[in-house]
Amino acid sequence: MMDRHDTGHSPENQRALPGKMPIQPDSDSLMISFLLTLNILAPFLEYPPDALIVIDSAGTIILVNTQMETLFGYDHDELIGRPVDLLLPEHLRTAHVAHWTHYMQAPRARPMGIGLDLVGQRKDGSRFFVEISLRPIRIEHTLHVIGAIRDMTAQREAERERMLISRRLRQQDKLLSMSHDAILVRDSADHIVSWNEGAEHLYGWTEEEAVGNITHTLLQARFPISREAVDYTLEQHGQWEGELTHTCQDGRQVIVESRQALVRDEQGFPAAILEINRDVTERRRLERLEREARAEIDARLHVLQVILDHLPSSVFLVQGPQLRILLANQAATEIWGAPWSRGQPEEEFIQQHGASLYTPTGQPLPLEDMTGRRAMDSGKPVLNCQLVIRQSDGASIPVIVDAIPLEHRSLLPSLPQEMTLGPASAERVVLVVYRNVRALKEAEELKDQFISLATHELRTPVTIIAGYADRLLSRAAQEKGHALDEWQREKVQQMKHASWHLANLTGELLDVTRMQAGQFQLERRPTDLVALTRQEIERLQATTDKHQLAFHTTVAQLWALVDAFRIEQILSNLLSNAIKYSPGGGLIEVTLEEHKDTHEAHFRIRDQGMGIPHAQQAHLFGRFVRGENVRIAGIRGTGLGLYLCRELIERHGGHISFESEEGVGSTFFFSLPCTEAVYRNSSGKAL
């Protein structure tokens, strides 16, 4: 075997050994010698750990070791005599031939690890990274190449993993530098060895200024517990969390949430401590302010509750369509006979405690007609509703209820969170006030009894006086008896009008007392509302020259099952008010329309008079209630007319409302349920 320093490439070019003549061997002897040399060389190829291959100058495999066979998956006989590019992927074989030809023109030793990306292909077609070292050798004066092939799959995987780890570490280092949290590392003696940009921004020291300093000394750390206890926790559990107070370079103190982790070396000894500090100074300041504000709100709520509990009226604050309770005072518990739990819906509370609501006439009140629900649905105040609460033990309490919606746009944002059950902008809140009027009712009953007695006793003499006055005027007109002069006739006429006015007043008072006592009855008959309205307008038009009463309707007849006398009383009261409270005269319009969808007759009476002051509008349908401007103007009245109108309309199943502006005029609306159309035959009788 010759090494790569031999200069000859064929037997003819070899110089003879000293003292010997050159011998010209024949081809058979050369082949035998070559094979013997290979047989001698083959055992030595098994010693190295790498896969070894011997290739001739034409690129043909002439010898491989066992490691080579194992690495590529071929048997010995499958490799010997085959071209070496068998061990390469097919797409690299053409290029390999060119590289091999170029190499063989100037063969040289090429060690492993020179940075070439080489790929081998196994018998099963799988590919893997390899490193190859080449060395030219001479075997029986013929140039060959011996190659050592090493599988680099594991090394490449490890290298790739190292690159990934390195990239990840660089990213982590960059992220740590970008973090707003202060991140620092200190050794086992508490000297700072790492200091990120977040620490620089928080504390004011640069990394160069901080590294090497003892952490607790530099930052003048104040611990919630002893420092020894913190060190003990780190030693025992490997981590500690808590709040620290640090002093910055400019003397400013900050509160930080500190998370510390102990890092140990391979022998388990403490090597370093990773500390992450987050500035929570502003958060703690805001939390302190919130606690102070909450304490102030709690104190105010307590004072409010105390005030409400001393009120004689029952006060509720309810929220949402289900009227869930937000707030209730002590009087509310007494009036219902049971406490109303916060958040409990109204319907559930009433059913749970066996309570119920009734109208003043004793009719059960549907839940949808309850005062709070009407205010919740409409968004408008519902005032002075008279109801009766019947407790579970049968006790009845007459009440007057006011329900006032509190729109979220104005009030709710200022309500404490503790007082609301949901977002303020989502649900309406209603203030409901129940006033126990049992004592007032008892006093009213006594008053009604007195009024009933007084009016009954007055009615007879008033009727007699009116009758005699009318008789005197009649006899004087017929020139019977003593003649009356002008002054006497005028005074007797005044007596007559005053008597009839007093008779009407006593009639109204009797109606009121009968209604309060539950003794009032309606006498319903089919009535043409168009004819009745026109007749009443004509009667009242005859009493005034300053006012013009106009009637508008699109229907010829409109029938309803009503008490005709009481409907005349309603129209008379409303039209008389329009005339009386329009002292300057003017147009008074009456409109009657049929609402076919609801089978109702809709009345509208509009004047251009004094109007009603806003302060009196909420109580206008109460008894003896009159506008302040009317009193100032000296216009007489009892304040019973509108009360009777409302009672009579509601007892007919209708509703009444109004719109008014002081100095502009008033419009009253009321509706009455109609019957089905009634046609009349030629005799005028209803069919």
Side-chain angles (χ1 to χ4, degrees):
M1 180 184 302
M2 304 297 291
D3 62 22
R4 66 186 179 89
H5 298 290
D6 293 333
T7 57
H9 297 285
S10 64
E12 292 77 13
N13 295 330
Q14 301 297 317
R15 289 185 291 179
L17 294 173
K20 295 193 180 218
M21 296 297 293
I23 301 174
Q24 183 73 27
D26 58 23
S27 60
D28 291 337
S29 63
L30 285 174
M31 179 60 68
I32 292 171
S33 176
F34 177 74
L35 294 174
L36 289 173
T37 302
L38 290 180
N39 288 332
I40 295 170
L41 182 61
F44 291 97
L45 296 181
E46 300 296 331
Y47 291 109
D50 294 326
L52 298 178
I53 184 171
V54 179
I55 311 165
D56 65 12
S57 60
T60 302
I61 302 171
I62 62 172
L63 191 63
V64 296
N65 66 353
T66 304
Q67 290 87 332
M68 185 71 183
E69 298 171 10
T70 303
L71 181 60
F72 283 90
Y74 289 97
D75 292 335
H76 180 273
D77 294 338
E78 292 177 304
L79 293 173
I80 301 303
R82 302 291 298 278
V84 71
D85 59 10
L86 173 69
L87 306 176
L88 300 173
E90 187 173 354
H91 70 280
L92 298 177
R93 292 175 184 176
T94 301
H96 175 263
V97 173
H99 290 313
W100 178 256
T101 302
H102 178 72
Y103 176 80
M104 291 305 295
Q105 290 175 357
R108 65 192 183 282
R110 190 181 73 186
M112 288 187 180
I114 61 174
L116 297 177
D117 289 329
L118 302 176
V119 180
Q121 178 171 292
R122 298 184 180 91
K123 180 180 178 180
D124 61 6
S126 61
R127 299 172 184 180
F128 60 103
F129 289 103
V130 296
E131 275 192 353
I132 302 175
S133 67
L134 300 177
R135 179 175 291 276
I137 63 172
R138 288 188 179 277
I139 302 175
E140 294 300 325
H141 310 290
T142 303
L143 182 63
H144 291 75
V145 175
I146 184 170
I149 304 174
R150 185 174 298 165
D151 185 358
M152 297 301 294
T153 303
Q155 290 85 339
R156 288 296 180 93
E157 284 293 325
E159 182 180 353
R160 188 176 68 86
E161 185 66 25
R162 284 195 300 273
M163 290 177 63
L164 290 174
I165 292 173
S166 177
R167 186 182 300 113
R168 191 179 300 117
L169 288 174
R170 288 195 299 272
Q171 292 174 344
Q172 290 175 351
D173 184 63
K174 184 177 180 181
L175 291 174
L176 289 177
S177 297
M178 296 173 60
S179 173
H180 293 291
D181 292 340
I183 302 175
L184 54 104
V185 179
R186 48 192 170 93
D187 60 20
S188 57
D190 288 334
H191 291 94
I192 298 171
V193 297
S194 177
W195 184 267
N196 77 333
E197 292 181 9
E200 292 183 0
H201 292 313
L202 176 58
Y203 298 116
W205 287 283
T206 64
E207 185 176 12
E208 292 76 13
E209 293 171 328
V211 170
N213 284 279
I214 296 177
T215 314
H216 312 310
T217 303
L218 178 67
L219 301 177
Q220 302 177 35
R222 295 210 308 264
F223 295 86
I225 56 178
S226 68
R227 178 180 165 187
E228 291 75 14
V230 174
D231 293 340
Y232 178 80
T233 302
L234 280 170
E235 176 68 27
Q236 294 297 315
H237 303 287
Q239 60 183 7
W240 178 84
E241 293 184 8
E243 286 192 0
L244 302 175
T245 302
H246 286 156
T247 302
C248 303
Q249 188 182 40
D250 59 5
R252 177 174 46 89
Q253 287 191 337
V254 293
I255 302 172
V256 297
E257 281 182 349
S258 183
R259 294 178 176 84
Q260 302 180 16
L262 179 64
V263 180
R264 298 181 182 272
D265 60 18
E266 295 179 355
Q267 288 74 35
F269 294 106
I273 295 175
L274 173 65
E275 183 173 335
I276 303 175
N277 297 330
R278 174 168 295 178
D279 184 6
V280 294
T281 308
E282 181 64 15
R283 187 199 306 172
R284 294 295 177 260
R285 186 185 72 84
L286 294 176
E287 289 175 353
R288 177 177 56 81
L289 292 177
E290 183 180 356
R291 287 194 299 271
E292 292 173 356
R294 187 177 296 275
E296 183 179 357
I297 290 173
D298 290 342
R300 291 183 178 182
L301 286 177
H302 177 71
V303 172
L304 175 62
Q305 189 68 54
V306 170
I307 293 173
L308 291 177
D309 286 340
H310 283 79
L311 291 178
S313 298
S314 302
V315 179
F316 303 88
L317 202 61
V318 293
Q319 179 181 9
Q322 294 182 318
L323 277 70
R324 302 187 309 278
I325 187 68
L326 300 179
L327 186 78
N329 67 349
Q330 185 63 36
T333 300
E334 296 172 359
I335 203 167
W336 286 99
W340 197 341
S341 303
R342 186 174 183 272
Q344 188 175 25
E346 179 183 59
E347 183 176 357
E348 177 184 314
F349 167 80
I350 291 175
Q351 293 176 351
Q352 177 182 349
H353 296 287
S356 53
L357 282 168
Y358 292 85
T359 65
T361 59
Q363 300 298 319
L365 185 71
L367 289 176
E368 60 270 15
D369 288 341
M370 292 185 65
T371 313
R373 187 173 300 277
R374 287 165 54 194
M376 183 70 71
D377 294 340
S378 67
K380 297 179 180 179
V382 180
L383 305 173
N384 292 314
C385 289
Q386 298 185 36
L387 301 174
V388 176
I389 295 177
R390 187 169 297 171
Q391 298 178 350
S392 58
D393 59 0
S396 294
I397 302 176
V399 294
I400 293 179
V401 187
D402 295 328
I404 304 171
L406 307 178
E407 292 297 335
H408 63 270
R409 289 183 295 274
S410 57
L411 178 64
L412 291 195
S414 62
L415 286 178
Q417 183 179 1
E418 291 80 358
M419 289 184 62
T420 58
L421 300 173
S425 61
E427 294 181 331
R428 179 178 285 129
V429 171
V430 173
L431 175 67
V432 183
V433 180
Y434 283 73
R435 285 173 287 165
N436 187 339
V437 293
R438 174 181 289 169
L440 293 177
K441 286 292 184 181
E442 292 173 353
E444 281 187 356
E445 288 178 3
L446 292 175
K447 180 183 67 176
D448 291 342
Q449 291 175 7
F450 169 76
I451 292 174
S452 178
L453 177 62
T455 53
H456 186 270
E457 294 298 323
L458 283 172
R459 195 166 192 176
T460 300
V462 166
T463 303
I464 293 173
I465 293 172
Y468 278 125
D470 189 58
R471 189 172 179 182
L472 282 172
L473 291 172
S474 177
R475 288 176 62 84
Q478 297 174 5
E479 296 182 352
K480 294 180 179 181
H482 297 286
L484 298 176
D485 59 25
E486 185 66 26
W487 182 87
Q488 291 174 328
R489 282 196 300 272
E490 180 182 352
K491 297 307 177 185
V492 173
Q493 188 70 39
Q494 291 177 0
M495 289 173 55
K496 176 183 175 182
H497 287 305
S499 299
W500 284 118
H501 175 74
L502 187 56
N504 289 335
L505 175 59
T506 57
E508 289 182 346
L509 289 173
L510 283 174
D511 287 342
V512 170
T513 55
R514 287 170 183 159
M515 289 177 181
Q516 295 296 317
Q519 299 173 354
F520 187 85
Q521 298 292 331
L522 295 175
E523 297 181 6
R524 298 174 182 264
R525 294 186 180 86
T527 303
D528 180 7
L529 297 178
V530 175
L532 185 147
T533 304
R534 183 174 283 113
Q535 176 183 336
E536 192 63 21
I537 289 174
E538 291 174 354
R539 184 183 71 81
L540 288 170
Q541 180 66 77
T543 65
T544 177
D545 297 328
K546 298 169 59 178
H547 304 82
Q548 179 184 356
L549 277 64
F551 182 42
H552 307 290
T553 185
T554 58
V555 293
Q557 292 180 325
L558 187 56
W559 292 86
L561 191 63
V562 295
D563 187 326
F565 174 75
R566 297 303 179 181
I567 301 304
E568 286 181 358
Q569 187 177 355
I570 294 168
L571 290 170
S572 177
N573 276 333
L574 293 176
L575 289 171
S576 296
N577 283 348
I579 293 171
K580 181 165 52 175
Y581 300 132
S582 301
L587 178 65
I588 298 173
E589 295 180 282
V590 181
T591 304
L592 174 57
E593 297 175 342
E594 179 185 12
H595 197 288
K596 295 184 178 180
D597 292 339
T598 59
H599 297 291
E600 289 181 328
H602 286 191
F603 289 83
R604 182 172 68 249
I605 300 174
R606 182 172 64 181
D607 64 53
Q608 301 174 6
M610 303 171 63
I612 303 164
H614 183 75
Q616 278 86 48
Q617 290 185 10
H619 308 282
L620 192 65
F621 290 110
R623 288 185 294 175
F624 308 108
V625 175
R626 303 182 71 216
E628 191 63 29
N629 56 346
V630 173
R631 295 178 186 273
I632 295 173
I635 301 175
R636 294 187 303 171
T638 62
L640 290 175
L642 290 179
Y643 169 79
L644 286 171
C645 286
R646 187 191 68 176
E647 287 290 332
L648 292 172
I649 290 170
E650 290 182 354
R651 289 170 186 268
H652 277 89
H655 299 280
I656 185 171
S657 61
F658 69 94
E659 295 175 355
S660 183
E661 183 176 350
E662 190 173 6
V664 176
S666 303
T667 303
F668 281 81
F669 309 88
F670 72 93
S671 62
L672 294 171
C674 295
T675 59
E676 295 295 330
V678 178
Y679 297 96
R680 292 183 172 274
N681 59 13
S682 57
S683 64
K685 295 182 180 179
L687 293 176

